[in-house]
Amino acid sequence: MLNIRVFTLYPDLFPGPLDIGIYKKARKKKIWDLKIVDIRDTAKDKHRTVDDKPFGGGSGMLLRPDILSSSLDRYINKKNKKERNIYLSPKGKQLDQNFLKKISKEKNINIICGHFEGIDQRLLETRNIEEISIGDYILSGGETASFVFIDAIVRLLPGVLGNKLSTIDETFEKFLLEYPQYTKPQIWEKKTVPEVLLSGDHAKINSWRLSQSEAITRRQRPDLWKKYLNKKNEKH
Ligand code: SAH
């Protein structure tokens, strides 16, 4: 079972969008579990203060390392190197499908959601914490990022998605975006689905899909297209 623990200032937001459909079922089946820790529980004053102004000036507030560390140390076993501790941060290494595949094999993942201007640097230096960003934009807090992160991990766990193939054929697996897909009705608003998909000829369908994927990737994502071509050339 994969145990995910989220450290947050807003525990009421959880499990939120993670409590539906396949995620809920998979939690019941004990494929994964979610525990929430309210960072404020380790605050020392009656106002449950967790933040303060940055030294040297500047806007906003920072999460204090003493409060946050006592929260983390209560739950994180420092000796357990197998435990992954992730601080969601726009300064982190950018999340991608490759990293998700690796991390989905872990047993314990701890996620720290920042707020305000972020957290004190010394915490990142003294605890075994990796910084991960979900993209080049700024959110107001790590909670929404954690939903993205957890969603993307849980669907990779064995037994969560019905069809095992569904994660193999997806966008990013081979540096290619997914080909266009169609379902019933066969004719909708006078538009029919591409003839080849009705042919029953799987070799032909696969080659049509590949050429569509290549065209879309080339048009929309020159960065992926370059990687795809490099990989293709390596093989030859
Ligand atoms: N001042 C900081 C941004 C703080 S945003 C800076 O310029 O780097 C507040 C919190 O939202 C962060 O602590 C982080 O947990 C979360 N957050 C914001 N953008 C994020 C992103 N792109 N990926 C992951 N977490 C993000």
Side-chain angles (χ1 to χ4, degrees):
M1 179 163 77
L2 167 63
N3 293 294
I4 299 180
R5 191 183 297 276
V6 179
F7 294 83
T8 173
L9 292 174
Y10 297 94
D12 294 347
L13 290 176
F14 294 87
L18 301 168
D19 207 28
I20 53 153
I22 54 169
Y23 302 107
K24 194 176 188 158
K25 257 190 232 153
R27 242 181 114 191
K28 273 199 189 132
K29 281 203 259 169
K30 302 211 181 330
I31 294 174
W32 74 293
D33 197 21
L34 181 67
K35 296 254 158 53
I36 305 299
V37 178
D38 185 346
I39 297 168
R40 281 190 205 279
D41 286 349
T42 44
K44 295 176 189 116
D45 62 340
K46 69 169 197 277
H47 300 294
R48 309 226 297 159
T49 310
V50 290
D51 58 331
D52 217 316
K53 294 194 224 52
F55 283 116
S59 66
M61 302 289 266
L62 283 176
L63 284 173
R64 289 169 53 126
D66 52 345
I67 312 287
L68 191 50
S69 68
S70 53
S71 182
L72 298 180
D73 293 348
R74 223 182 243 188
Y75 297 96
I76 297 179
N77 179 355
K78 272 192 223 159
K79 283 189 197 129
N80 186 355
K81 292 217 173 79
K82 287 217 173 110
E83 217 160 7
R84 299 287 286 261
N85 307 314
I86 309 259
Y87 168 48
L88 291 166
S89 152
K91 290 191 282 191
K93 201 172 152 229
Q94 194 155 323
L95 185 62
D96 62 18
Q97 200 62 23
N98 241 340
F99 181 79
L100 286 163
K101 269 206 219 150
K102 277 186 212 137
I103 204 158
S104 66
K105 302 206 168 71
E106 299 287 341
K107 291 278 160 271
N108 296 289
I109 303 175
N110 300 303
I111 301 172
I112 304 157
C113 301
H115 254 277
F116 322 116
E117 284 306 306
I119 67 183
D120 186 292
Q121 184 65 24
R122 290 166 295 178
L123 191 97
L124 298 172
E125 289 163 7
T126 53
R127 302 298 182 275
N128 180 24
I129 295 174
E130 300 165 74
E131 282 185 270
I132 297 290
S133 162
I134 67 158
D136 282 347
Y137 40 82
I138 309 283
L139 303 165
S140 58
E143 286 74 15
T144 41
S146 80
F147 294 142
V148 171
F149 187 43
I150 297 170
D151 179 339
I153 294 172
V154 171
R155 65 192 294 287
L156 293 177
L157 300 175
V160 174
L161 288 191
N163 181 356
K164 271 193 196 132
L165 287 178
S166 35
T167 59
I168 294 173
D169 214 16
E170 281 173 330
T171 292
F172 303 126
E173 283 303 314
K174 309 174 192 99
F175 302 123
L176 279 182
L177 302 178
E178 197 178 58
Y179 43 80
Q181 303 240 60
Y182 304 86
T183 185
K184 285 178 183 167
Q186 199 174 315
I187 300 170
W188 174 74
E189 295 196 349
K190 293 192 188 131
K191 282 173 91 68
T192 176
V193 310
E195 202 63 41
V196 57
L197 299 177
L198 310 171
S199 68
D201 180 340
H202 287 288
K204 230 160 106 189
I205 293 173
N206 286 342
S207 101
W208 179 83
R209 285 181 166 166
L210 179 62
S211 67
Q212 290 286 317
S213 278
E214 289 182 339
I216 297 164
T217 309
R218 194 172 178 174
R219 194 170 67 235
Q220 318 256 63
R221 291 290 302 272
D223 56 324
L224 279 184
W225 180 243
K226 228 162 129 186
K227 286 186 192 164
Y228 172 70
L229 289 182
N230 285 340
K231 203 171 165 195
K232 212 171 157 183
N233 289 337
E234 263 171 37
K235 279 192 194 148
H236 291 304

